[in-house]
Amino acid sequence: MKIGVVCGPLAMKDNLPGLCQWLAENGFDAVDMRSVDGAEKATIEGAGLSVGTFSAPSVGRTLDADEGARQAAVESLKGELREAAALGLRTLFACLVPPDRQAPRARTFEIWKTVWPEIVALCESLGICIAMEPWPGPAPAYPTIGCTPEMWRAMFEVCPSAALGLCFDPSHLARLGIDYVRALREFGHRVHHVHGKDTAISAEDLYLQGRLTPTFGAPKFRCSEGWWRYCIPGDGVVDWRAIVVELTALGKTDLCVSIELEDGCYMGDPAANQASLLAAKRHLESVLR
């Protein structure tokens, strides 16, 4: 499997040529694109790297409660998908969080059912697969659809096309208390991409606050609710070897595992970014290769 990076959270992201050069020099294979952009793709490939996924800005707006805004977003997304296909891009990263961050998931799902079957059909015709991100979204509503097995079952029943699938990120499942290995056994054939991110659990904070956010003050780390925090692979509770075993059993040996740096111990400083990416890569290599 390839090892890549999600450049969005990185302090180095604003110097994409420099980031790509550093990644290539240090043995990384791929970069997840931030948009449908031919120049960005050329920069990545010019450094000898491949593209992991691409993002499209219209994805979230397709879930707008306003019908006019929703249909405009659908047409915009269709254009972005056709442009992506023309560039040879093949995997759409889709975080299905609605513009209204307080919207109930059941209501957003009803909206999704009215617009996404035609988007999935277009992707299938263009040779593009969709990798849904399982981030649940912000507290207290956790509004993202497509982030739990309950929702995956319902969504795949509506859209059985193999073009609709998952960006498997065990860090989200671990913090939600979902058995990520069981999830792979049920939905592994739907995995189109993997995010290399882990979750650390603080027993002390879990005792003090339970699964609530802290009552007094803010969590000590970014990308955290106190009792849990995102971290680099190898520093948390995720068993990456078990994940590789399941994916290998499914024949998913050509996937890209993109390290997503949302570890509050390393964010915000280019030197810390580099150190954490190398540490994450070493851990992933120990189970991937």
Side-chain angles (χ1 to χ4, degrees):
M1 299 180 193
K2 297 177 182 177
I3 297 178
V5 301
V6 181
C7 66
L10 297 174
M12 300 178 282
K13 67 181 177 181
D14 293 326
N15 178 16
L16 185 62
L19 171 60
C20 289
Q21 180 181 349
W22 182 86
L23 291 170
E25 290 172 350
N26 286 276
F28 290 85
D29 304 305
V31 176
D32 288 2
M33 288 177 59
R34 297 167 291 180
S35 61
V36 180
D37 186 319
E40 185 175 335
K41 180 174 184 283
T43 297
I44 293 168
E45 293 179 341
L49 303 169
S50 61
V51 172
T53 63
F54 69 93
S55 295
S58 300
V59 165
R61 298 197 301 272
T62 64
L63 302 174
D64 200 300
D66 179 83
E67 184 176 358
R70 183 166 68 245
Q71 289 305 320
V74 169
E75 293 307 311
S76 178
L77 178 56
K78 288 179 178 178
E80 292 161 359
L81 291 169
R82 293 188 179 99
E83 182 182 355
L87 289 171
L89 302 176
R90 291 293 175 257
T91 306
L92 170 66
F93 171 77
C95 187
L96 297 173
V97 56
D100 178 4
R101 298 299 181 93
Q102 302 304 315
R105 291 186 298 278
R107 187 177 76 190
T108 301
F109 175 66
E110 292 302 314
I111 293 173
W112 179 87
K113 288 196 301 183
T114 68
V115 294
W116 270 79
E118 63 180 298
I119 294 169
V120 173
L122 176 62
C123 285
E124 186 171 19
S125 72
L126 294 172
I128 291 174
C129 58
I130 302 163
M132 293 188 292
E133 158 79 340
W135 175 57
Y142 304 108
T144 307
I145 60 170
C147 64
T148 65
E150 174 196 31
M151 284 183 274
W152 297 338
R153 289 178 180 178
M155 296 169 89
F156 295 143
E157 182 175 355
V158 172
C159 290
S161 168
L164 181 64
L166 304 174
C167 174
F168 187 76
D169 187 332
S171 69
H172 301 305
L173 303 181
R175 60 166 273 209
L176 292 174
I178 294 169
D179 184 335
Y180 52 86
V181 175
R182 178 181 173 184
L184 265 185
R185 289 172 182 160
E186 181 174 355
F187 300 101
H189 61 291
R190 293 277 189 173
V191 173
H192 296 318
H193 192 64
V194 179
H195 272 177
K197 192 161 91 255
D198 214 322
T199 293
I201 307 295
S202 167
E204 178 64 14
D205 287 322
L206 187 58
Y207 166 73
L208 290 171
Q209 67 187 72
R211 296 182 184 272
L212 302 175
T213 54
T215 303
F216 307 106
K220 296 184 285 289
F221 295 97
R222 294 169 63 182
C223 302
S224 167
E225 288 184 344
W227 66 271
W228 66 266
R229 68 176 182 87
Y230 294 138
C231 61
I232 60 173
D235 284 2
V237 298
V238 172
D239 184 345
W240 283 94
R241 189 173 299 280
I243 289 172
V244 171
V245 167
E246 295 299 327
L247 290 174
T248 301
L250 290 165
K252 296 278 187 174
T253 55
D254 59 345
L255 289 173
C256 179
V257 181
S258 291
I259 299 165
E260 185 178 28
L261 181 56
E262 292 183 342
D263 188 326
C265 293
Y266 299 103
M267 297 173 72
D269 175 73
N273 280 186
Q274 293 175 348
S276 64
L277 290 176
L278 292 173
K281 178 173 175 286
R282 285 193 297 271
H283 182 75
L284 291 174
E285 284 177 334
S286 72
V287 296
L288 287 174
R289 298 175 177 173

